[in-house]
Amino acid sequence: MGLPALALVLVAGLLHTQASPPARSFQLDYEEDCFRKDGSPFRYISGSIHYARVPRPAWRDRLLKMYMSGLSAVQVYIPWNYHEPLPGVYDFAGDRDVEAFLDLTAELGLLVILRPGPYICAEWEMGGLPAWLLWKPDIILRSSDPAYLAAVDSWLHVLLPKIKPRLYQHGGNIISVQVENEYGSYYACDYGYLRHLLGSFRALLGSEVLLFTTDGTRAEELRCGTLQGLYATVDFGPGSNVTEAFGAQRQVEPKGPLVNSEYYTGWLDYWGEAHASTSSVRVARGLEDMLQLGASVNMYMFHGGTNFAYWSGADFKDQYKPVTTSYDYDAPLSEAGDPTEKLFAIRMVISKFQPLPVGPMPPATPKYAYGWVALRKYADLLDVLDVLCPSGPIQSQFPLTFEAIKQVHGFVLYRTQLPRDVLDPATLGAPPHSICDRGYVMLQKEYQGTLERDGQTALHVTGSTGDTLDVLLENMGRISFGANISDFKGLLGNLSLDSSPLRNWLIYPLAIDTAIQQGWPHAALPKSSSGGRAGPAFYTGTFETPGIAWDTFVKFPGWSKGQLWINGFNLGRYWPLRGPQQTLFVPGSVLHIGRPNNITVLELEGAPSTPLLLFLDRPLFNRTLSRSTAATE
């Protein structure tokens, strides 16, 4: 063989070795009770972040802070209802661009533990399941019900092909994928459903990807939530005995890595309850105990973020418990993405087990107190139904649910007339559990009061035959956990007057967000608004930023309850009367520089006589459990 020929063979050999690097793999090792990444023993220290709760311009900042905290991975939920708002209608643009989020995690050197559901809980509206599933009223969610499985399969065929190229085996950074979520806590205990999901995930993602389940440590939860072929992990918080908790995992997985998929760094807040907090010392101690056992740990949450718009879910524990707009979670990174004392305590623990990245922790994002902004009443809600419901009302003998009229979020107005003179106060009442979730009652446009799920369900009214009765129904978020996730909204039963049912309803599905995103009411002609009448009304105002658009927090002094938009962005529900949350987080990315910022408020019960908002540089929670949280107030 001549030299040129030999050179060609050598070059070909070099090209061949370059073209086939050692195979990337992420596997279970049952002999050594560990994960193996590319053949070497591996343990991850991870934190949860939900891209749907963080504005896209802030993704990089939050992920970089997680990387600099010493995390090797992040855990990510995919909320189905965030991406398929209507059957067959998909949205992966802007804040919903999950592929861009995953690519950013890879760019920053973070591995991903993916939790694509289809059910996720996450204290998210309906646990991530789309409300349009309830258009078939007898559907059995999270089961082998063919109607449910058909919708799930259709969704997985859209979602999982986006995921597959990002799996670790294919050169990406997704090391494991969870199937369903805490299924053992659901009443159905349908193994056929889990087997169906396992088959779909394998068919769409391949045979190599590591699939797992997560459940609580009770035997019953692990019995119903686990399945042969899915690696069973557990979740528990700093109050648990680590040895006992992992003992529960060992009952179902005698060999393999110890994994806590949700180690609780804090807890969520419910409207009307005290602000939750968990001590940094306890969180750090529990983490150290687990890492000393060689366990892999994911901290839930590492950064909680915000339930913007209508995305907050609810729990049901003897009564309906809606979740606040803030999902701060008392997490190591605050709602605004700021490092806390808890983050540094966790980072110190991590440094004992693996080297931290070199370089400083990025600082807290700058905040600005823009101060007082005066608002003016634009119109009562009842006076702008032509704008909010351009298609006009639906006529029905009896009330229809949100689901029956295909309204997912927000508000629906129910209108009828008094069938007789009511000279002495009569009881306007609803059957138990039929106001879902709050009803604001007006008679002849005069606000009468509020009917509430699991609360007040009757009011006394007087009036004349033919008087207009309006009830504005608010969906406060569908239940995200437990047996009640088929959570229908609106008037679920008939209102009655002294127990005689009211009939002949006009039902207005309100498209408030659509109108506001199109520039209303700021671009509309001013209304001559009737002054201080209580009840649902819109207020508007503007403010300018002094050459910067920094994050801020808005307080509602003297306001009751409602919804806030700035520049068409729905920042969520405020409810200072109920608390504990007193301020809404306003990301700087929604603000304009050099032109006015348009504020729109829908106040539901009654605004102060001088309607003002106050923009602060820090959040306020009015009821805290311990002195140590006073610093966050």
Side-chain angles (χ1 to χ4, degrees):
M1 186 184 291
L3 271 176
L6 180 63
L8 282 172
V9 169
L10 288 170
V11 168
L14 279 170
L15 287 173
H16 180 71
T17 53
Q18 285 174 344
S20 56
R24 287 167 63 95
S25 62
F26 190 84
Q27 295 162 320
L28 294 161
D29 182 339
Y30 288 104
E31 294 302 309
E32 301 290 328
D33 295 334
C34 66
F35 292 112
R36 283 198 179 270
K37 180 168 163 276
D38 303 335
S40 301
F42 180 77
R43 172 258 289 286
Y44 62 72
I45 304 174
S46 166
S48 287
I49 176 172
H50 300 158
Y51 62 91
R53 288 181 157 123
V54 182
R56 182 169 178 168
W59 287 352
R60 180 180 292 273
D61 171 78
R62 309 304 193 257
L63 289 168
L64 182 58
K65 285 169 178 165
M66 293 174 81
Y67 176 80
M68 293 307 295
S69 300
L71 302 184
S72 49
V74 292
Q75 198 193 73
V76 181
Y77 271 139
I78 298 182
W80 176 7
N81 53 8
Y82 194 61
H83 295 288
E84 193 178 357
L86 294 168
V89 176
Y90 301 101
D91 187 351
F92 290 98
D95 284 344
R96 290 172 169 79
D97 191 342
V98 61
E99 291 176 278
F101 181 82
L102 292 171
D103 292 346
L104 189 53
T105 62
E107 181 194 323
L108 293 171
L110 288 157
L111 298 168
V112 168
I113 299 149
L114 196 69
R115 307 173 87 183
Y119 163 86
I120 62 170
C121 181
E123 289 82 50
W124 186 260
E125 148 84 15
M126 203 164 147
L129 297 177
W132 49 258
L133 292 169
L134 301 177
W135 294 359
K136 186 174 184 295
D138 58 349
I139 195 167
I140 304 168
L141 301 172
R142 303 179 72 193
S143 79
S144 301
D145 179 339
Y148 175 70
L149 288 185
V152 166
D153 284 344
S154 152
W155 162 239
L156 293 178
H157 276 82
V158 170
L159 175 67
L160 295 184
K162 298 177 186 294
I163 300 313
K164 189 173 182 179
R166 293 175 169 82
L167 295 175
Y168 191 77
Q169 293 81 347
H170 300 152
N173 63 329
I174 298 171
I175 53 173
S176 59
V177 177
Q178 179 178 291
V179 175
E180 240 273 350
N181 181 60
E182 294 181 331
Y183 190 62
S185 303
Y186 192 57
Y187 73 92
C189 200
D190 180 344
Y191 295 115
Y193 169 52
L194 286 183
R195 277 194 292 272
H196 179 94
L197 289 181
L198 173 57
S200 298
F201 276 67
R202 281 276 170 242
L204 291 163
L205 294 179
S207 58
E208 289 175 31
V209 62
L210 197 157
L211 300 177
F212 71 98
T213 58
T214 303
D215 282 286
T217 55
R218 290 180 26 236
E220 177 67 11
E221 294 168 328
L222 288 163
R223 184 178 72 79
C224 288
T226 59
L227 189 73
Q228 191 71 37
L230 296 170
Y231 190 71
T233 73
V234 289
D235 53 25
F236 56 90
S240 299
N241 177 313
V242 169
T243 316
E244 282 177 19
F246 281 134
Q249 185 191 1
R250 280 285 173 248
Q251 293 297 308
V252 285
E253 294 289 1
K255 302 293 286 175
L258 296 173
V259 182
N260 185 345
S261 287
E262 289 189 10
Y263 175 61
Y264 304 109
T265 61
W267 204 248
L268 59 140
D269 284 346
Y270 300 105
W271 290 115
E273 297 194 8
H275 175 52
S277 78
T278 307
S279 94
S280 304
V281 175
R282 284 181 63 203
V283 171
R285 189 184 303 133
L287 177 63
E288 185 157 358
D289 290 347
M290 290 185 286
L291 295 182
Q292 269 170 345
L293 292 175
S296 286
V297 181
N298 172 69
M299 287 168 268
Y300 188 102
M301 295 295 298
F302 205 86
H303 172 49
T306 310
N307 294 310
F308 295 116
Y310 309 108
W311 290 114
S312 54
D315 268 347
F316 193 93
K317 292 171 186 160
D318 303 322
Q319 61 169 357
Y320 174 76
K321 294 171 58 159
V323 174
T324 57
T325 303
S326 171
Y327 198 67
D328 177 87
Y329 215 85
D330 196 28
L333 281 172
S334 74
E335 179 178 12
D338 299 338
T340 63
E341 170 202 350
K342 190 174 286 180
L343 180 142
F344 291 106
I346 286 168
R347 194 172 183 236
M348 179 66 71
V349 170
I350 294 173
S351 73
K352 297 178 185 178
F353 296 88
Q354 59 193 46
L356 295 173
V358 177
M361 171 64 63
T365 53
K367 314 291 186 301
Y368 197 84
Y370 296 99
W372 293 96
V373 176
L375 270 56
R376 56 179 286 276
K377 184 169 176 179
Y378 175 79
D380 288 299
L381 179 136
L382 295 178
D383 293 338
V384 288
L385 292 180
D386 55 329
V387 175
L388 304 180
C389 183
S391 55
I394 297 156
Q395 297 190 16
S396 175
Q397 181 81 327
F398 295 111
L400 301 171
T401 62
F402 277 45
E403 291 71 25
I405 61 172
K406 301 192 164 148
Q407 173 97 347
V408 175
H409 303 295
F411 303 86
V412 170
L413 184 81
Y414 296 80
R415 171 173 284 178
T416 188
Q417 293 178 320
L418 293 188
R420 57 182 174 84
D421 287 342
V422 185
L423 303 176
D424 296 319
T427 302
L428 176 71
H433 317 301
S434 62
I435 303 282
C436 289
D437 300 302
R438 280 173 75 77
Y440 305 91
V441 180
M442 283 77 64
L443 192 55
Q444 290 294 85
K445 296 192 174 181
E446 290 295 329
Y447 180 58
Q448 306 294 309
T450 303
L451 303 175
E452 187 170 24
R453 178 175 181 159
D454 301 330
Q456 178 173 330
T457 54
L459 293 169
H460 294 292
V461 297
T462 56
S464 308
T465 309
D467 280 359
T468 301
L469 174 73
D470 287 299
V471 186
L472 179 69
L473 254 291
E474 178 186 15
N475 166 3
M476 282 288 296
R478 288 183 182 79
I479 292 166
S480 56
F481 185 79
N484 309 66
I485 55 170
S486 292
D487 189 14
F488 293 86
K489 296 302 185 186
L491 277 179
L492 274 52
N494 210 5
L495 287 187
S496 56
L497 199 59
D498 277 345
S499 64
S500 70
L502 294 168
R503 300 168 187 271
N504 302 324
W505 292 87
L506 296 177
I507 304 169
Y508 295 79
L510 303 185
I512 298 173
D513 288 76
T514 306
I516 289 174
Q517 278 153 17
Q518 290 168 354
W520 182 88
H522 291 266
L525 293 169
K527 286 265 181 192
S528 54
S529 163
S530 55
R533 202 163 71 208
F538 289 93
Y539 292 78
T540 57
T542 62
F543 71 102
E544 301 229 9
T545 64
I548 47 161
W550 285 354
D551 295 350
T552 186
F553 299 88
V554 61
K555 188 172 190 282
F556 297 81
W559 298 72
S560 305
K561 180 181 194 310
Q563 204 86 21
L564 168 73
W565 294 260
I566 295 183
N567 297 327
F569 185 88
N570 187 334
L571 288 152
R573 307 182 179 102
Y574 65 89
W575 201 357
L577 285 179
R578 250 323 129 96
Q581 184 178 356
Q582 295 297 308
T583 50
L584 290 187
F585 173 58
V586 182
S589 55
V590 310
L591 302 179
H592 299 319
I593 297 174
R595 57 194 169 108
N597 292 283
N598 288 337
I599 300 174
T600 306
V601 174
L602 169 58
E603 166 60 48
L604 295 163
E605 296 177 13
S609 51
T610 308
L612 298 166
L613 298 182
L614 177 58
F615 287 86
L616 303 167
D617 56 7
R618 65 188 194 283
L620 294 177
F621 296 98
N622 70 341
R623 278 176 280 172
T624 52
L625 293 181
S626 69
R627 287 291 119 227
S628 68
T629 55
T632 64
E633 292 203 342

